[in-house]
Amino acid sequence: NAGVTQTPKFRVLKTGQSMTLLCAQDMNHEYMYWYRQDPGMGLRLIHYSVGEGTTAKGEVPDGYNVSRLKKQNFLLGLESAAPSQTSVYFCASSYSLVGANVLTFGAGSRLTVL
Amino acid sequence: AQSVTQLDSQVPVFEEAPVELRCNYSSSVSVYLFWYVQYPNQGLQLLLKYLSGSTLVKGINGFEAEFNKSQTSFHLRKPSVHISDTAEYFCAVVNNFNKFYFGSGTKLNVKP
């Protein structure tokens, strides 16, 4: 049972380059999320999706785009990377709309922008 | 809007000593409360959750937390810690719209 898989695990970019982080889940979860984790700031929600074909902005969406073309995949794109986007990115998924649900996290993707 | 405050960024403790990690939240509506643990170079894992009912919640690895509505707190405790408990712990609240709000994290460092 793979759960939530993120690729790549590590990436170094130069300012202005673009890239896409891929998140895949095999639990048939409806909800998927992208968070960034920075020291002393906890996890901040970038974008999320409540189902295939839908996306919504979180707390810190600027500079990122997302797509959910298939239920099991949630892509996070950086069109023009900036040093401020150096962070560890976590994808998570959850099963239902009910507020008491549990997030299942991927192992993270460490991005460095030079 | 919800917010979560973890009062201690780092907590050093000796092995077999008790520990309490503090979490306070602010919310104008009913929320559900969680503690997640992150071991080095891993994603977050669920430690325990409070949904309703008994205010004392027991989780994995001997951890427990107590929901205190009047003080809007959800502190995490363990009576005797092990070296393997060294990790970062995150408190989180989720509202009726399934949006999670995380605290800034507390790094627990267990020393031999």
Side-chain angles (χ1 to χ4, degrees), chain B residues 9-106:
Chain B
S9 60
Q10 298 193 44
V11 173
V13 63
F14 287 105
E15 194 173 19
E16 297 184 5
V19 71
E20 178 180 83
L21 306 183
R22 297 179 291 171
C23 173
N24 287 87
Y25 68 94
S26 64
S27 176
S28 58
V29 298
S30 296
V31 294
Y32 307 99
L33 297 157
F34 299 77
W35 276 98
Y36 281 83
V37 59
Q38 184 181 29
Y39 298 105
N41 299 313
Q42 295 185 28
L44 280 72
Q45 304 171 33
L46 181 67
L47 202 56
L48 50 79
K49 60 183 177 182
Y50 171 78
L51 307 179
S52 63
S54 173
T55 57
L56 185 62
V57 180
K58 294 189 182 298
I60 61 172
N61 300 337
F63 283 92
E64 62 182 30
E66 186 161 16
F67 170 59
N68 188 319
K69 188 174 183 179
S70 63
Q71 297 185 6
T72 60
S73 67
F74 191 53
H75 300 333
L76 181 70
R77 302 186 183 100
K78 186 170 182 178
S80 176
V81 294
H82 302 287
I83 295 288
S84 59
D85 293 323
T86 294
E88 190 161 15
Y89 294 79
F90 292 91
C91 182
V93 301
V94 61
N95 61 14
N96 291 334
F97 300 99
N98 220 32
K99 291 187 73 173
F100 282 76
Y101 297 86
F102 286 87
S104 56
T106 298

Side-chain angles (χ1 to χ4, degrees), chain A:
Chain A
N1 185 2
V4 177
T5 303
Q6 293 181 228
T7 53
K9 288 184 168 46
F10 302 94
R11 184 73 187 269
V12 179
L13 289 178
K14 294 181 180 178
T15 297
Q17 287 185 316
S18 63
M19 76 157 296
T20 301
L21 298 176
L22 170 63
C23 177
Q25 53 94 3
D26 61 1
M27 298 169 287
N28 202 34
H29 284 175
E30 288 292 333
Y31 279 60
M32 296 187 75
Y33 311 78
W34 275 108
Y35 289 89
R36 60 177 290 173
Q37 183 181 27
D38 302 293
M41 302 187 75
L43 278 79
R44 292 181 292 170
L45 182 64
I46 305 171
H47 286 281
Y48 64 102
S49 168
V50 303
E52 180 178 322
T54 72
T55 63
K57 294 180 179 179
E59 302 172 66
V60 289
D62 294 342
Y64 305 95
N65 57 74
V66 288
S67 63
R68 183 100 181 267
L69 299 179
K70 294 183 178 180
K71 185 177 183 179
Q72 63 268 33
N73 295 337
F74 194 31
L75 279 64
L76 178 71
L78 285 72
E79 292 184 348
S80 179
S84 60
Q85 294 178 303
T86 293
S87 187
V88 181
Y89 292 86
F90 286 97
C91 178
S93 67
S94 65
Y95 185 63
S96 73
L97 176 60
V98 175
N101 208 11
V102 173
L103 292 175
T104 301
F105 282 87
S109 298
R110 185 175 295 274
L111 175 65
T112 301
V113 183
L114 303 176

